[in-house]
Amino acid sequence: MAIITLTTDFGLKDHFVGALKGSIYRELADAKIVDISHGISPFNIQECAYILENAYKNFPKGTIHIVGVDSEPTIENQHVAVLLDDHYFISANNGVIGLITSEINPEKIVEINIPNPLHGSFPVMDVFVQVACHIARGGTLEVVGKPFDNLKDLTGFLPSVTDNGNKIIGSVIYIDNYGNVVTNIQRKFFEAYRKGREFELNARTTKIKQIYNTYSEIINFDLEKEKRKGPGDLLALFNSSDYVELAIYKSDLNTVGGASSLLGLDYRDTITINFK
């Protein structure tokens, strides 16, 4: 039986997550359900795409991913099922899948069209669960929809380059549990324009001239302890997903704060990198 994952902005206070799982078990008593996250900020497409993109790759091929963010259907927000990288994604056509497919071409896309669908206010349960259980039983996408070739492409969420390739303009796409700030600038994109040059990363009034590969690289162990950088110091690094991230080493949001609070950064705030 294929794994079914859930990624939503439902939170855990209300009944939605429990009802969603119950409806899956009612259809498939031996289903394997994994929660990726129910803490997506409400209707935050880019945050959802970031979390889902970096989680799905660790699941077995054939896994089915239900995406419950901005899922109410409209003529511009169709329900789609996508076979991508040997994984199935069931979502609204709101840009989440389009962001994930920016570097990977989907193998198959259908607009969901199941018989006698419920038209209530909980389409993730009323529609997405039916499609997921159909696929988990070995069903094909052709049975639940018709071919579709108009995935929403949110190019405005990608970093841009100005000043004849000398400046990258990015933005904050995610703030994690530690207050670390994740930008939309990936290592490959950064290196393509850097071309070995020195650079300066600007986040509000803060300027950074080095990007590490791990958090602990900020520590120079050749120095005496009292002279080293360490807990509480700011750094930039390529995180485990290869995005430029700003972090406070061993930060604690309950005491010293994180990079987001100390730098005054929030979702979609601008980060720039100037090459010299």
Side-chain angles (χ1 to χ4, degrees):
M1 181 68 66
I3 295 170
I4 298 175
T5 78
L6 306 176
T7 304
T8 77
D9 59 3
F10 296 163
L12 296 176
K13 177 181 179 180
D14 303 308
H15 66 280
F16 300 117
V17 173
L20 188 59
K21 291 181 179 180
S23 65
I24 295 172
Y25 285 126
R26 187 174 57 193
E27 292 283 332
L28 295 172
D30 58 345
K32 301 175 183 177
I33 304 174
V34 176
D35 300 292
I36 290 179
S37 176
H38 297 294
I40 305 297
S41 301
F43 306 103
N44 192 323
I45 300 304
Q46 193 169 29
E47 182 177 285
C48 179
Y50 174 78
I51 289 175
L52 186 58
E53 179 184 13
N54 293 298
Y56 91 83
K57 301 170 185 177
N58 298 287
F59 286 87
K61 293 184 183 301
T63 297
I64 303 157
H65 305 279
I66 292 177
V67 186
V69 176
D70 189 24
S71 55
E72 186 171 358
T74 69
I75 58 173
E76 296 179 346
N77 199 37
Q78 309 90 340
H79 287 165
V80 294
V82 181
L83 178 60
L84 169 69
D85 197 19
D86 293 323
H87 289 249
Y88 293 93
F89 296 85
I90 304 165
S91 173
N93 184 29
N94 51 26
V96 168
I97 306 302
L99 286 170
I100 295 175
T101 61
S102 60
E103 294 187 359
I104 305 174
N105 292 323
E107 298 144 59
K108 192 175 296 184
I109 311 171
V110 300
E111 180 180 355
I112 295 171
N113 183 24
I114 59 176
N116 303 314
L118 295 176
H119 296 289
S121 61
F122 199 176
V124 179
M125 186 171 73
D126 298 336
V127 177
F128 293 1
V129 165
Q130 290 189 51
V131 175
C133 292
H134 165 78
I135 297 170
R137 293 189 188 100
T140 63
L141 294 186
E142 288 81 0
V143 173
V144 295
K146 55 186 179 181
F148 186 74
D149 60 1
N150 194 28
L151 275 183
K152 191 171 291 184
D153 184 11
L154 300 179
T155 55
F157 284 130
L158 301 176
S160 60
V161 178
T162 62
D163 192 20
N164 296 316
N166 293 317
K167 184 175 187 176
I168 293 176
I169 301 175
S171 62
V172 176
I173 60 172
Y174 185 61
I175 297 172
D176 70 13
N177 188 54
Y178 300 93
N180 298 332
V181 175
V182 180
T183 77
N184 61 349
I185 303 170
Q186 291 181 288
R187 184 199 297 262
K188 184 166 63 174
F189 189 89
F190 170 82
E191 294 295 354
Y193 289 96
R194 180 186 184 185
K195 299 176 182 177
R197 293 179 290 175
E198 293 183 352
F199 64 90
E200 182 177 85
L201 185 153
N202 297 280
R204 293 196 181 277
T205 59
T206 300
K207 302 181 186 302
I208 299 174
K209 297 184 178 181
Q210 186 170 2
I211 301 177
Y212 298 100
N213 292 300
T214 66
Y215 298 97
S216 60
E217 278 186 17
I218 194 175
I219 303 173
N220 183 350
F221 290 98
D222 292 330
L223 297 177
E224 297 176 7
K225 285 188 176 182
E226 60 272 13
K227 296 180 180 180
R228 300 174 185 171
K229 288 187 176 181
D233 285 315
L234 174 69
L235 72 148
L237 77 154
F238 293 109
N239 67 14
S240 59
S241 303
D242 258 358
Y243 286 80
V244 174
E245 175 182 310
L246 305 180
I248 302 296
Y249 185 62
K250 292 192 175 180
S251 62
D252 184 341
L253 291 177
N254 297 315
T255 54
V256 298
S260 59
S261 59
L262 294 177
L263 297 178
L265 292 172
D266 205 344
Y267 173 62
R268 300 203 75 172
D269 281 348
T270 298
I271 303 293
T272 62
I273 298 176
N274 295 294
F275 297 108
K276 302 177 179 179

